Amino acid sequence: SQQGEEDPQALSIQEGENATMNCSYKTSINNLQWYRQNSGRGLVHLILIRSNEREKHSGRLRVTLDTSKKSSSLLITASRAADTASYFCALKGGSNYKLTFGKGTLLTVNP
Amino acid sequence: EAGVTQSPTHLIKTRGQQATLRCSPISGHTSVYWYQQALGLGLQFLLWYDEGEERNRGNFPPRFSGRQFPNYSSELNVNALELEDSALYLCASSPDRGYGYTFGSGTRLTVV
């Protein structure tokens, strides 16, 4: 299966702290994407990292990709209560154009 | 620019009935993807439509079907509803195959 697996399943931190969540996968990928979902609503695309990239930044987000270990991490710096959401990694592999999502990490940022 | 719109927002059906869910992609996006998000199961890929054709299908029974219209909007039909079909159904579109999906807010289907 191409499904990514997020770790941890749940994470609770205080406002201002950094949050790190990880995604591991088993097959080769073309790109890996991170999405956020607030409270059972639609997902919002956060960042895309291609298989030939090692690190990308977007505002307070930093994503790394290690294709040799088949893993990625999402770092949210200086977290805010509004960052409370579920975060999903999604994989795109080869000629298969669909994205395959993991089960997500539930992040709770306490004020 | 209008985002991906889904209708209805909520839908309550009785077991055995049929449900029809609709999705309008972002203007210019030709690919539409459908996902099911049941409680505790993450997002499960259902269907991918591109240029009016079904391009890929997830591991769901044939009673899950759909189509894409010439204006690229899409419809998901679920026949012979079962209780376990209760879930949030999400539609997404993208301007390029496999890159940066934009999701709608979903249709919450409840089967009683």
Side-chain angles (χ1 to χ4, degrees):
Chain A
S1 167
Q2 195 174 339
Q3 185 175 8
E5 189 171 320
E6 291 92 343
D7 173 67
Q9 291 184 348
L11 179 61
S12 181
I13 60 174
Q14 296 300 123
E15 209 166 23
E17 293 181 338
N18 295 341
T20 300
M21 50 207 89
N22 304 294
C23 173
S24 60
Y25 56 94
K26 295 182 179 179
T27 61
S28 61
I29 61 171
N30 180 285
N31 68 61
L32 186 148
Q33 303 177 33
W34 286 91
Y35 289 79
R36 183 187 74 226
Q37 183 181 36
N38 289 86
S39 189
R41 297 184 60 81
L43 280 72
V44 175
H45 180 256
L46 296 175
I47 198 163
L48 180 154
I49 186 165
R50 292 180 171 81
S51 59
N52 61 352
E53 296 176 313
R54 293 296 168 257
E55 187 172 314
K56 284 191 81 169
H57 296 255
S58 177
R60 293 184 296 113
L61 306 180
R62 173 179 168 248
V63 168
T64 61
L65 178 64
D66 186 334
T67 53
S68 66
K69 295 181 179 179
K70 290 187 166 55
S71 68
S72 173
S73 67
L74 171 66
L75 168 68
I76 304 174
T77 60
S79 63
R80 306 165 181 168
D83 294 328
T84 294
S86 290
Y87 291 81
F88 295 85
C89 68
L91 311 177
K92 178 190 177 302
S95 61
N96 191 343
Y97 294 108
K98 74 181 185 190
L99 288 180
T100 307
F101 288 80
K103 293 187 178 181
T105 292
L106 176 60
L107 172 66
T108 303
V109 181
N110 301 297
Chain B
E1 177 185 83
V4 176
T5 58
Q6 291 187 247
S7 64
T9 305
H10 294 87
L11 191 57
I12 299 175
K13 291 286 187 177
T14 303
R15 190 172 49 185
Q17 285 189 316
Q18 179 197 33
T20 298
L21 289 64
R22 296 180 176 84
C23 172
S24 293
I26 289 176
S27 177
H29 289 192
T30 61
S31 281
V32 171
Y33 306 84
W34 287 95
Y35 286 83
Q36 181 197 66
Q37 187 177 29
L39 197 61
L41 292 182
L43 275 78
Q44 303 296 315
F45 170 74
L46 266 166
L47 291 159
W48 167 36
Y49 292 96
D50 183 61
E51 299 284 356
E53 300 284 334
E54 181 181 303
R55 302 294 184 180
N56 204 337
R57 181 181 182 85
N59 188 26
F60 281 84
R63 58 191 186 82
F64 286 83
S65 65
R67 53 181 171 166
Q68 187 177 36
F69 299 99
N71 66 354
Y72 303 117
S73 66
S74 178
E75 195 174 86
L76 173 69
N77 295 294
V78 188
N79 295 319
L81 284 165
E82 300 178 1
L83 296 178
E84 51 265 36
D85 296 334
S86 295
L88 180 67
Y89 288 83
L90 292 164
C91 169
S93 71
S94 70
D96 201 357
R97 296 174 171 182
Y99 290 87
Y101 287 9
T102 300
F103 279 86
S105 295
T107 292
R108 185 161 297 281
L109 173 64
T110 303
V111 183
V112 298

